[in-house]
Amino acid sequence: MNIQEYITAHKDRFVDELFDLLKKPSISADSNYKDAVLETAKIVKKRLEEAGCETVEICETPGHPIVYGSIIKDPKLPTILVYGHYDVQPADPIELWDAPPFEPVIKKTALHPEGAIFARGASDDKGQMYMHVKALEFMTKNDTLPCNVKFMIEGEEEIGSPSLEWFVKRNQEKLKNDVILISDTGMIANDQPSVTTGLRGLSYVEVEVTGPNRDLHSGLYGGAVANPINILAKMIASLQDENNHITIPGFYDTVIDLSDQERKAMAAAPFSLENYKKALDITAVYGESDYTTNERRSIRPTLDVNGIWGGYTGEGAKTVIPSQAFAKISMRLVPNQTPDEITALFQKHFETLAPQGVKVKVTTHHGGFPYVTPITGVGYKAAEKAYEKTFGKKPIPQRSGGSIPIVALFENELKSKSILMGFGLNSDAIHSPNEHFGLFNYFKGIETIPYFYSYYTELMKA
Ligand code: BES
Ligand code: MN
Ligand code: MN
């Protein structure tokens, strides 16, 4: 039986099993869901065993557990390490979901005439992670697994993988591999596959501006003391100039610019600005001067406010000057910016922006290094052949704007490259209400992965 026939024969079960995973609210950020996270890990373990893994264990960490499984056919054969995550983002704002986030349903959409699975985690990353489990099942049941395989599925990706470094450092030997395979990104379109060759890094800070020692009457004091919200708004606004260039001194010093040739190659990838605007209901795009939308969202660093609060936000009007104002700010980084350097530059600059009369505090959250991989390696070539086989088209290499901080750590600690074979679409609404994953994408992923295994093993022998 070939993989297409296998999928056709087991389609419904593949969907039902994914539904079981999607029904668990494995929200890693919220400690109220700790039990659901553990139950999800247990399901992943059971499914890996059923798919033919020889050893499967739930590995305790200081945080949520990591599920590890393996099949070692012959130590002389190449070893693929599959990485994915079973945790998900919080579902709020829940009222904007058309159906409850943890009660998966299939609905047709314009981009998915054959249907898409709607649920939190459908695309990021339960659906994409589970494609690998089903691909493995096919290979073991049909005795076509050509190499060794290890699975490492974590439960903390959405909170910055705080325990994974701990785990990787303690398990170097166990995790030894020739290549890491990850489906946690997207592709251009269902008729145009792409392989993700880069990820942005991340620096994430929280800022606090404190003015007077208590909230004040805005009539009695207004105009005479610094209002922390007014000040914070000014400080944030000054972080970008009229060209939407970031004004933090030294911010761009280490950025590697792309050559004209590389930019040209990027511009050749199919992209419709009209459709992009239409999908977001915006009349114009916005960003750094002299760069295209595709460049702005992948090869350029950014600075964005993720949340801002303070003062009175309840019903009606309350005349008050707040004592404090707060914001969460993220910066997406590109090679060769490092999170520590950029965070330090931000902190130093932000503190100097504060006028007299307020105190500023900057605290740092998790960060991550950017990543790029060349298209000359065996891993990329194997992926290219696999897509060509199942899509009838060569994939386009594409750098993504998102971050998977652990990928750079894998390179440093395990000395291996990651191949990012993502089957999601940008329109999947990951992290948003109504997240979904196309059935086409789910099955196409399951179909493509076994070819990666065989081409990779072949090319490694050559
Ligand atoms: N799977 C995403 C990252 C992603 C999505 C990369 C699409 C490329 C294309 C991952 O789960 C994620 O959300 N990462 C976070 C960072 C993390 C430290 C919370 C992100 O990019 O914001
Ligand atoms: Mn993800
Ligand atoms: Mn995510």
Side-chain angles (χ1 to χ4, degrees), residues 40-294:
T40 314
K42 287 180 179 161
I43 299 181
V44 174
K45 173 174 186 275
K46 186 177 90 185
R47 297 304 189 198
L48 279 171
E49 284 163 350
E50 289 166 359
C53 273
E54 290 160 350
T55 61
V56 191
E57 45 183 326
I58 291 188
C59 306
E60 296 302 328
T61 75
H64 297 302
I66 291 164
V67 186
Y68 177 84
S70 66
I71 303 177
I72 306 300
K73 281 172 68 106
D74 177 352
K76 289 198 270 315
L77 286 168
T79 301
I80 295 174
L81 174 68
V82 176
Y83 164 81
H85 61 97
Y86 67 81
D87 65 319
V88 299
Q89 284 278 325
D92 52 76
I94 270 189
E95 63 285 3
L96 295 183
W97 285 76
D98 295 335
F102 298 104
E103 293 172 28
V105 287
I106 294 176
K107 279 194 309 190
K108 293 184 170 42
T109 73
L111 281 176
H112 297 289
E114 63 298 284
I117 301 169
F118 283 75
R120 169 59 83 230
S123 175
D124 183 15
D125 179 43
K126 284 172 175 168
Q128 297 215 64
M129 174 272 285
Y130 205 61
M131 299 178 317
H132 288 270
V133 182
K134 293 301 95 179
L136 179 70
E137 175 191 307
F138 163 74
M139 292 183 282
T140 60
K141 302 281 182 265
N142 285 270
D143 208 16
T144 52
L145 179 68
C147 60
N148 305 315
V149 59
K150 296 174 176 176
F151 271 72
M152 174 170 60
I153 310 298
E154 74 152 317
E156 296 190 320
E157 197 279 340
E158 297 293 7
I159 53 171
S161 305
S163 305
L164 198 58
E165 181 168 359
W166 177 93
F167 183 75
V168 169
K169 286 197 163 132
R170 275 166 188 73
N171 292 283
Q172 300 262 5
E173 196 48 43
K174 180 177 189 153
L175 299 174
K176 225 170 149 241
N177 66 80
D178 296 283
V179 69
I180 297 168
L181 184 59
I182 305 177
S183 296
D184 192 22
T185 54
M187 59 179 187
I188 293 175
N190 282 358
D191 59 2
Q192 181 52 70
S194 53
V195 175
T196 304
T197 52
L199 294 162
R200 285 195 287 196
L202 187 66
S203 163
Y204 202 111
V205 296
E206 192 163 329
V207 299
E208 180 185 302
V209 176
T210 306
N213 59 4
R214 59 190 163 87
D215 290 3
L216 302 172
H217 189 290
S218 68
L220 296 183
Y221 291 93
V225 296
N227 176 329
I229 297 184
N230 293 20
I231 298 292
L232 178 59
K234 277 194 195 179
M235 290 169 76
I236 289 172
S238 80
L239 294 174
Q240 273 146 340
D241 67 15
E242 66 282 6
N243 295 315
N244 289 315
H245 236 31
I246 293 156
T247 55
I248 299 167
F251 187 84
Y252 293 99
D253 283 2
T254 53
V255 170
I256 299 180
D257 288 319
L258 262 65
S259 66
D260 288 346
Q261 198 187 348
E262 286 169 305
R263 290 182 74 180
K264 244 201 200 130
M266 267 191 84
F271 175 71
S272 156
L273 193 59
E274 274 324 300
N275 290 348
Y276 186 80
K277 290 191 286 192
K278 213 162 105 196
L280 300 176
D281 227 335
I282 52 176
T283 51
V285 291
Y286 186 88
E288 192 181 1
S289 300
D290 304 325
Y291 292 94
T292 65
T293 295
N294 254 341

